[in-house]
Amino acid sequence: RSRIYGSDGRVLLTLPAFYLVVEFFYPKIFCDTQGAMLYRWKNLIQICEITGVWGLTFLVIWFNSAVARCLEGVLASERKVIKSAVVHFVVIIAVLAAGHLWGGRRIVALQAEMARAPRTLKTKVIQANIGDADKLASEQGYPKALKQVMNTYADMSRAAVKPGAPGGKPDLLLWPETSYPLLYTHFMNSVANERGEAKDEWLMKLVEELGVPLYFGGYSSVGKQDFNSAWLVSSRGEPAGLYQKHILLAFGETVPLGPLAPLVHAAFPAMGNFGRGPGPANLAFRGLRLGPLICYETLDPLYTRRTANLGADLFINLTNDSWFGPTSEPRSHLILSVFRTIESRRPLLRSTNTGITSYVDITGQVHRPTALFETAIYRADIPITGRSETVFLRFGPWLILLCGSFCL
């Protein structure tokens, strides 16, 4: 056998393979991985369209395993071990160099593809910067807070579409996750509207006044069960699509304790108890298919893969990271989302309450991200390049299966 596949070489390959398999099945609230640390290496991360983000993780663990093995050989004065580690270093450097060169050419090709895109979707996003206290109060129905939140979105939306506004009138206007603090039923629940739990007439009149389709986060209900939802409403105020969040945040939106969940929720009623939506979906919009994602659904590569394979032309992520305050979480959320655009070669538009609102193109480039905790009317003209099929979209986590087989 060759040196790299000798007994020592096999160990150095088994470590990253085993790590990848364990990490894939290890339960986590946020779908992060070691490979995400390479997000600044724009050329190299293009390999994600082939391997998924796990390919980067494999390289990170492989490199560190070789470093550890080399140091072990030096300390033990074992030349055979040192030589084996050096061989791995040479191979790793060759792989990194090849990935860098290929990724650079891929970026150039994709930029040319975007430049000649047959269609551009003009969008504007309202980042209203609603504080946690006002948001919670408005959702509880306190009149002053409710009026403030609704008027803020209404006034900023009017400013976004008025004659002479920068960028002109958009094709689509967006509000972030749960921006509309009430149920939206489109007059299908007269009781909720009479009680003030829904104000469908207000929203419909606003959209008609704006004359632009609105995609917004709010709440829907089926019976007594509420859902964290995204609504698409036409410029005439008619409902054109509904998506209900499927991947719920543990202890924030659901209690993941099986038969104990009702008891825990009864003891701690502040915990969310939302219904789980049916799963990945596309919403039709003017000949396009929008891929809806709410909050951290955009972090799950398998979920976004299913959304893309349904025919999505682009992803739209509505989120609200205000709960985390001025921490690294909003930036981490954005960084981890970048890999979804590369894996699928679908653009991503992020609509956030307090930041970071942004557009990520099909190369993973983030365009003009907004500042945290500031109001903003964000404009993005998104080239629609078509529904590309990548190796990742077709074969999914093939690298995980290969690593699992190798470990066996």
Side-chain angles (χ1 to χ4, degrees), residues 169-236:
K169 206 167 189 177
D171 300 319
L172 183 64
L173 186 67
L174 296 98
W175 296 355
E177 178 188 13
T178 61
S179 51
Y180 185 66
L182 303 170
L183 283 174
Y184 180 66
T185 73
H186 197 69
F187 301 110
M188 291 182 289
N189 188 332
S190 58
V191 175
N193 278 275
E194 290 172 1
R195 291 178 176 176
E197 298 168 359
K199 292 184 181 295
D200 296 341
E201 184 176 3
W202 177 89
L203 186 64
M204 186 181 73
K205 286 183 176 179
L206 175 63
V207 175
E208 288 178 335
E209 175 192 342
L210 298 173
V212 175
L214 177 64
Y215 186 90
F216 70 96
Y219 299 98
S220 64
S221 63
V222 177
K224 295 184 179 181
Q225 184 67 69
D226 291 342
F227 295 84
N228 186 346
S229 305
W231 284 92
L232 178 61
V233 179
S234 75
S235 57
R236 296 187 298 274

Side-chain angles (χ1 to χ4, degrees), residues 243-261:
Y243 170 76
Q244 295 168 325
K245 186 178 181 182
H246 178 73
I247 304 178
L248 302 178
L249 182 63
F251 302 105
E253 295 174 319
T254 186
V255 182
L257 296 175
L260 297 178

Side-chain angles (χ1 to χ4, degrees), residues 91-394:
V91 175
I92 293 169
I93 291 172
V95 171
L96 293 175
H100 178 83
L101 293 173
W102 178 83
R105 293 185 177 183
R106 190 73 176 112
I107 289 174
V108 171
L110 291 167
Q111 288 173 338
E113 188 176 336
M114 288 188 286
R116 61 173 183 268
R119 181 173 179 182
T120 298
L121 180 67
K122 298 175 62 178
T123 65
K124 288 187 178 180
V125 181
I126 304 302
Q127 181 175 303
N129 192 32
I130 304 296
D132 292 342
D134 289 333
K135 183 171 175 57
L136 288 171
S138 66
E139 291 175 353
Q140 294 296 322
Y142 289 98
K144 184 178 179 179
L146 185 61
K147 183 179 180 180
Q148 178 187 348
V149 170
M150 296 175 73
N151 285 347
T152 297
Y153 278 103
D155 293 342
M156 293 185 69
S157 297
R158 292 185 183 106
V161 304
K162 69 181 181 181
K169 206 167 189 177
D171 300 319
L172 183 64
L173 186 67
L174 296 98
W175 296 355
E177 178 188 13
T178 61
S179 51
Y180 185 66
L182 303 170
L183 283 174
Y184 180 66
T185 73
H186 197 69
F187 301 110
M188 291 182 289
N189 188 332
S190 58
V191 175
N193 278 275
E194 290 172 1
R195 291 178 176 176
E197 298 168 359
K199 292 184 181 295
D200 296 341
E201 184 176 3
W202 177 89
L203 186 64
M204 186 181 73
K205 286 183 176 179
L206 175 63
V207 175
E208 288 178 335
E209 175 192 342
L210 298 173
V212 175
L214 177 64
Y215 186 90
F216 70 96
Y219 299 98
S220 64
S221 63
V222 177
K224 295 184 179 181
Q225 184 67 69
D226 291 342
F227 295 84
N228 186 346
S229 305
W231 284 92
L232 178 61
V233 179
S234 75
S235 57
R236 296 187 298 274
E238 299 172 350
L242 167 64
Y243 170 76
Q244 295 168 325
K245 186 178 181 182
H246 178 73
I247 304 178
L248 302 178
L249 182 63
F251 302 105
E253 295 174 319
T254 186
V255 182
L257 296 175
L260 297 178
L263 297 176
V264 175
H265 192 264
F268 302 96
M271 286 188 182
N273 189 30
F274 288 101
R276 188 180 302 276
N282 286 176
L283 302 180
F285 177 72
R286 296 184 178 179
L288 299 176
R289 298 184 69 82
L290 310 180
L293 302 165
I294 296 178
C295 193
Y296 79 138
E297 287 179 332
T298 190
L299 303 186
D300 188 336
L302 299 183
Y303 194 81
T304 54
R305 173 177 176 258
R306 291 168 61 193
T307 302
N309 282 336
L310 288 174
D313 292 290
L314 72 157
F315 298 131
I316 296 185
N317 178 215
L318 306 185
T319 188
N320 174 32
D321 292 333
S322 65
W323 317 109
F324 296 93
T327 65
S328 62
E329 191 280 338
R331 181 167 173 78
S332 298
H333 193 174
L334 170 59
I335 290 170
L336 294 173
S337 301
V338 164
F339 296 98
R340 307 294 86 82
T341 68
I342 300 172
E343 291 163 348
S344 63
R345 298 304 181 189
R346 302 294 196 276
L348 166 68
L349 180 61
R350 302 183 77 241
S351 172
T352 70
N353 172 25
T354 56
I356 305 171
T357 298
S358 55
Y359 151 56
V360 187
D361 69 26
I362 59 176
T363 71
Q365 180 64 44
V366 180
H367 294 264
R368 298 177 296 103
T370 62
L372 281 171
F373 301 105
E374 292 183 5
T375 59
I377 298 176
Y378 182 84
R379 176 169 58 91
D381 296 339
I382 304 173
I384 306 299
T385 56
R387 301 164 190 169
S388 302
E389 183 178 44
T390 65
V391 173
F392 176 77
L393 287 184
R394 186 169 184 180

